[in-house]
Amino acid sequence: METRFEQLSEKSSYRRQRLLDSNQLFNFFREADEVESWIADKESIAMSDDYGRDIEHVETLLKKFEDFTRDLVTSGERIASLTTQAQTLLDEGHSEGEVSNVGLFVRIWVWLSWKCTNLHKFLIIFMPFLHFLRMFFLVDGCFEIRVGRYVSCI
């Protein structure tokens, strides 16, 4: 009777461990799917060629990229967590094929960070130029230069 109980206990422990492993793997897959979905959403923002039509539009874009940067920081923590989970799964004997997309996520996240940073810098550099252009208005075929209340035509 004790032998049967020990066998049953071993099978139960084995099955419990397999269920825990499966749970961990499926949690990893769920998190990877969420990160992949987030990346797809953010790629459209990063690929935008919109540099603004006027000062107000550039200010709106700057706000959008500041929000984007905050999202990148938060997602960076998720990417790091996902990478740790992937390494844990590999250490526990799971195949590389099951966690192979993590490397791609890391590379895309780095690219998104780079792209966002460069677009943000460009918009910041572009803003004084727009302020300068705001002083000029095309009137009757010439540019009016407005400085305070003084106006001259060139």
Side-chain angles (χ1 to χ4, degrees):
M1 184 75 129
E2 280 184 40
T3 307
R4 288 194 65 173
F5 178 75
E6 286 176 18
Q7 289 174 346
L8 185 60
S9 182
E10 282 178 25
K11 285 181 181 181
S12 174
S13 294
Y14 175 75
R15 185 168 182 105
R16 177 175 164 45
Q17 188 57 48
R18 298 248 319 149
L19 286 171
L20 288 172
D21 290 346
S22 293
N23 185 41
Q24 185 179 20
L25 185 62
F26 286 113
N27 284 336
F28 170 79
F29 288 153
R30 181 186 46 77
E31 181 69 17
D33 285 344
E34 287 177 12
V35 167
E36 185 175 19
S37 187
W38 180 88
I39 286 173
D41 289 343
K42 298 306 175 186
E43 273 182 316
S44 64
I45 294 171
M47 296 298 292
S48 173
D49 290 334
D50 187 2
Y51 300 112
R53 296 178 303 277
D54 53 29
I55 292 172
E56 291 78 18
H57 190 212
V58 171
E59 288 171 346
T60 301
L61 289 173
L62 282 169
K63 172 76 171 107
K64 188 175 177 181
F65 278 105
E66 288 167 3
D67 293 343
F68 187 83
T69 302
R70 277 192 294 279
D71 281 351
L72 279 174
V73 170
T74 303
S75 68
E77 295 165 2
R78 288 179 76 188
I79 296 282
S81 171
L82 198 62
T83 304
T84 302
Q85 289 176 29
Q87 189 58 53
T88 301
L89 290 169
L90 287 172
D91 292 346
E92 292 175 355
H94 290 276
S95 71
E96 256 185 67
E98 292 174 319
V99 297
S100 62
N101 54 356
V102 172
L104 177 64
F105 294 159
V106 170
R107 288 190 295 279
I108 292 173
W109 183 85
V110 168
W111 175 81
L112 284 172
S113 298
W114 175 83
K115 183 79 171 171
C116 175
T117 300
N118 286 335
L119 284 172
H120 191 255
K121 284 178 185 176
F122 174 79
L123 292 172
I124 288 173
I125 291 168
F126 191 55
M127 184 66 91
F129 178 69
L130 287 174
H131 281 291
F132 176 75
L133 288 179
R134 185 179 253 183
M135 293 188 309
F136 292 90
F137 297 95
L138 187 59
V139 177
D140 296 327
C142 71
F143 282 102
E144 273 189 10
I145 301 175
R146 297 175 184 259
V147 179
R149 61 183 184 187
Y150 300 104
V151 178
S152 69
C153 187
I154 56 170

